[in-house]
Amino acid sequence: MAPACVGINLYDHIKAMMWTTLPATAVAFVVFFLAGNSLTITATELPPEALELTDTLEQMFRWSPLLLVPFLFILGGAIMKKPPVPTMLLGSLAAIIIGMAYQGFSVQNGVLAALNGFDISMVTADGFDPAAAPASIATLMNRGGMKSMVGVVIIIYCGYAYAAIISKAGFLETAIRPLAERVKSRGAVMAATLFTELLLLVFSGNSYTGAIMVPEMFKRSFLESGMGLKALSRTIEDIGTIVAPLVPWGSSGAFYAGALGVSIFGSGGYAPWCVTCYVTPVIALLLAVTGVGVYRMNAEEKDSALKKYELEQAAL
């Protein structure tokens, strides 16, 4: 959604994300390696809850490399830069066919799962009783389907309508002018963008609001500071996607806490171990300050990009 709102190609967006996600992942590996070597391990077995979960999944499904076929369709489409929607539909169709041919699901359940989402009551494997399945299985598996995206689609439409109204009426320009007049350097623009995205994430509980609003607010500032729009698209993800697991009332945080049975904050919470959540925005800011990986534009490119932006605004 971020590249669509900014107006860049999806695969250019994915490449741009490597500038922040790869270094952050490397830092996380180092932290986990050092922490792992400093821990005193008293047991080598999985916790009882994890064993129960894996045993139940073994009862529910037949496991085989064949199950990787839908993923390979998606991966192949991404590598060959095929259109995302047909690629995802092809992968979904492959998953339905495998489910019917290999897992024993009926055609009806395959269609229902695609429309309404999967439910463990659809499983007919010998020895598996859906009523006796642990609650963690239902939390993990009972989800998906096209209908589950209705709320997201409504948010997108309403967000676009709201952004268009406040932008065309001049409200947005009036609101951000004091900030835009003060932030001129790459570092200042990046810091303001990250902070604004964080506020929108915290107050809305989802990343979609920021993905729609932030480009409207900071596209001009990014161009005037000489940073490419690929950097803006990436920045939306650096907070909206990466930091979302730390918001307890957000959809991501609620899912992780519920599915894993672990709190986010407090004693035993997973927040201290979300290294990439903390490091990624810092790396984004450092890249902006140094000018590395922000697709810097020369004066001619900047003027051209600003003229294109003005034409787009005038066409609204």
Side-chain angles (χ1 to χ4, degrees), residues 9-312:
N9 180 270
L10 172 63
Y11 298 107
D12 289 337
H13 168 75
I14 294 173
K15 290 179 182 177
M17 288 180 62
M18 300 299 176
W19 284 99
T20 53
T21 54
L22 290 182
T25 302
V27 172
F29 279 145
V30 172
V31 171
F32 294 143
F33 177 79
L34 295 175
N37 282 315
S38 65
L39 293 176
T40 302
I41 301 175
T42 58
T44 58
E45 296 181 353
L46 290 173
E49 296 82 3
L51 290 173
E52 182 183 39
L53 187 65
T54 56
D55 289 342
T56 305
L57 290 173
E58 287 285 349
Q59 295 175 14
M60 293 174 62
F61 303 110
R62 297 169 61 192
W63 298 93
S64 163
L66 181 65
L67 304 183
L68 294 174
V69 170
F71 166 74
L72 294 176
F73 276 118
I74 302 296
L75 181 62
I79 292 174
M80 293 184 288
K81 297 185 177 181
K82 298 296 182 182
V85 173
T87 300
M88 290 188 293
L89 289 175
L90 183 61
S92 299
L93 180 61
I96 293 173
I97 293 173
I98 292 173
M100 293 186 298
Y102 186 69
Q103 301 290 358
F105 295 113
S106 65
V107 176
Q108 179 183 8
N109 281 338
V111 175
L112 286 175
L115 182 62
N116 299 325
F118 181 79
D119 192 279
I120 59 174
S121 62
M122 298 176 179
V123 179
T124 58
D126 294 337
F128 175 72
D129 181 10
S136 57
I137 284 290
T139 302
L140 181 66
M141 304 298 297
N142 291 355
R143 60 183 61 252
M146 288 185 284
K147 284 187 176 180
S148 68
M149 299 300 294
V150 171
V152 175
V153 173
I154 292 174
I155 290 174
I156 292 171
Y157 274 109
C158 293
Y160 271 126
Y162 178 69
I165 291 171
I166 65 174
S167 178
K168 192 64 176 178
F171 300 150
L172 190 61
E173 182 181 356
T174 302
I176 68 171
R177 185 184 297 126
L179 177 63
E181 290 175 350
R182 288 171 172 78
V183 292
K184 298 294 184 180
S185 65
R186 292 190 304 267
V189 170
M190 180 62 72
T193 306
L194 290 168
F195 183 68
T196 302
E197 175 71 23
L198 179 61
L199 287 179
L200 291 171
L201 173 65
V202 170
F203 284 108
S204 68
N206 64 73
S207 59
Y208 309 116
T209 305
I212 295 170
M213 296 298 299
V214 167
E216 287 292 324
M217 297 172 68
F218 289 100
K219 184 180 286 189
R220 177 190 290 276
S221 296
F222 260 72
L223 295 176
E224 289 178 344
S225 67
M227 293 189 288
L229 294 182
K230 288 184 283 188
L232 173 59
S233 178
R234 178 188 70 212
T235 303
I236 294 172
E237 298 262 32
D238 288 339
I239 292 290
T241 300
I242 300 297
V243 182
L246 296 178
V247 181
W249 52 88
S251 55
S252 295
F255 170 73
Y256 294 140
L260 300 175
V262 179
S263 62
I264 300 178
F265 299 101
S267 178
Y270 65 71
W273 300 104
C274 294
V275 180
T276 54
C277 296
Y278 308 120
V279 175
T280 301
V282 175
I283 293 175
L285 186 58
L286 290 175
L287 290 176
V289 172
T290 59
V292 177
V294 292
Y295 305 96
R296 286 187 295 176
M297 298 180 291
N298 56 37
E300 183 179 348
E301 292 172 333
K302 184 165 67 172
D303 290 340
S304 176
L306 284 169
K307 288 179 182 178
K308 182 180 178 181
Y309 170 77
E310 295 294 347
L311 289 175
E312 291 174 350

